[in-house]
Amino acid sequence: MKWGIAVFEILVGILLFVLLLVVCSVLVSEYLFKMIIYRQKKSSCQKDIDAVASWYRHYPIAKTGRLWLENMPYINVYIKSFDGLRLYGALLENEKFSDKIIICVHGFTGSGKKDFASLARTYYLNGYNVLLVDNRAHGQSEGKYVGFGVLDRLDLRNWVKYTVNRFGSNIKIFLHGISMGGATVLMASSIMPKNVRGIIADCGFTSVDEIFEYVLKRDYHLPRFPIIYLTNIMSKIRAGYGYKDVNTAAEIAKSDIPVLFIHGENDEFVPLWMTMKNYSYCKAYKELYIVKDSEHAESHYIDKKGYERRILTFIEKISK
């Protein structure tokens, strides 16, 4: 009798422990989902430079770019996403007629005008039209859930269509993305029309699944299962996409668009091996530019002259 009671108590204890684990896993998953997938608000002190991990080191350069952009007569542009959201972009039409335009895609929690102000100045002064887009759930675009490139790639296709309609069928389009934007332009590479002549991908990740697993281990010291599994289900139900719906590296393998891959040597947010993996899958013409002593998304600030020389040379080379 006592043995039976003891077994019963052990089974109840195991059941309660398992139940506690399930509840804790669901709560942690819900917390992470809200932290990552829900639209985020940035503190005002980072308003001028969101894409850079060590933003405070480069604030003066970023502020100069932002002030320049604010004084430029850019055009506010709005289009509809594939699922009906109102998306925003800032268009800089060059005073000199140009048959080229750069579409710039920002990183997580950033916006086009924040993350690309300095580079927009570089492109514009070198004769290019520039379109700075705000991804869904960022900046002035609508959206409750971040697309992490999976949904943004389809939005980007709409931006390309808008560009062709505005500038004509002979317009040459180049995509430049940083961090999440870098992954977005690579994910979109397989569904782009012939007008897209080249892609610049700065520190883009390999897939949503792999970057989430990496961040989960690095920041929270948690195993993949069951957190990734649960947040993936939440994402499918609420945001409309799963973490494995689109694989960055696999999409690159399908594309013939030339790519310039850029990554910071000391990037701990999106590790360098992810760009190396993306690079290895690329079958088209490709170049690789690793910036020494650069952390996440700060390559342009660490080696400003070298960075600008590489992107401009790459564009001119593949434009011929």
Side-chain angles (χ1 to χ4, degrees), residues 33-296:
F33 180 82
K34 289 182 177 179
M35 286 290 292
I36 298 172
I37 305 297
Y38 269 100
R39 186 180 193 124
Q40 300 296 307
K41 292 183 179 180
K42 266 295 190 184
S43 61
S44 60
C45 65
Q46 288 179 276
K47 65 181 180 179
D48 290 316
I49 180 165
D50 283 351
V52 180
S54 304
W55 65 274
Y56 52 87
R57 294 196 293 165
H58 312 294
Y59 185 80
I61 299 175
K63 186 175 182 180
T64 299
R66 187 71 187 278
L67 289 173
W68 173 86
L69 182 59
E70 287 176 349
N71 288 309
M72 291 298 294
Y74 61 80
I75 303 167
N76 294 315
V77 177
Y78 299 90
I79 67 168
K80 286 291 183 180
S81 70
F82 71 93
D83 53 352
L85 296 175
R86 190 172 188 245
L87 303 178
Y88 170 79
L91 175 63
L92 283 163
E93 288 190 325
N94 209 289
E95 295 173 351
K96 303 174 184 178
F97 176 77
S98 175
D99 64 346
K100 301 182 185 70
I101 185 169
I102 317 296
I103 300 180
C104 302
V105 188
H106 63 80
F108 179 60
T109 73
S111 72
K113 288 188 287 188
K114 291 176 184 177
D115 291 6
F116 273 95
S118 296
L119 283 167
R121 182 174 185 270
T122 298
Y123 281 130
Y124 185 84
L125 294 179
N126 280 276
Y128 299 114
N129 299 297
V130 184
L131 176 60
L132 310 173
V133 304
D134 285 355
N135 289 328
R136 59 177 55 220
H138 289 81
Q140 297 181 54
S141 289
E142 292 181 342
K144 185 177 181 180
Y145 302 108
V146 178
F148 273 99
V150 179
L151 301 180
D152 303 310
R153 69 196 288 260
L154 302 176
D155 297 336
L156 184 55
R157 183 168 60 183
N158 282 6
W159 279 116
V160 169
K161 289 178 181 178
Y162 161 81
T163 303
V164 173
N165 289 336
R166 186 180 186 98
F167 291 93
S169 58
N170 292 324
I171 189 72
K172 298 175 183 176
I173 302 170
F174 300 86
L175 311 177
H176 189 158
I178 297 177
S179 191
M180 185 182 77
T184 299
V185 297
L186 292 174
M187 288 182 189
S189 63
S190 64
I191 59 172
M192 290 292 102
K194 63 180 182 179
N195 296 84
V196 177
R197 301 298 183 86
I199 290 173
I200 299 167
D202 188 339
C203 58
F205 51 76
T206 50
S207 69
V208 179
D209 187 69
E210 286 188 328
I211 191 62
F212 280 8
E213 181 178 8
Y214 173 79
V215 171
L216 192 66
K217 290 180 179 178
R218 184 199 64 200
D219 293 347
Y220 301 98
H221 308 290
L222 293 172
R224 175 183 176 84
F225 184 84
I227 306 301
I228 294 292
Y229 177 77
L230 291 172
T231 56
N232 181 61
I233 293 175
M234 293 175 184
S235 182
K236 277 185 173 291
I237 294 173
R238 301 178 192 175
Y241 68 92
Y243 299 163
K244 293 185 178 181
D245 285 357
V246 181
N247 183 293
T248 311
E251 296 307 312
I252 300 167
K254 303 174 188 176
S255 173
D256 60 357
I257 301 174
V259 183
L260 169 58
F261 294 89
I262 302 174
H263 213 108
E265 184 181 49
N266 298 334
D267 194 336
E268 294 183 356
F269 191 78
V270 176
L272 177 58
W273 67 260
M274 289 196 173
T275 277
M276 300 309 298
K277 180 177 178 179
N278 288 335
Y279 180 83
S280 69
Y281 273 74
C282 181
K283 302 294 192 301
Y285 174 78
K286 56 188 175 181
E287 294 182 10
L288 180 64
Y289 173 41
I290 307 300
V291 180
K292 187 178 180 181
D293 299 324
S294 173
E295 295 179 18
H296 184 62

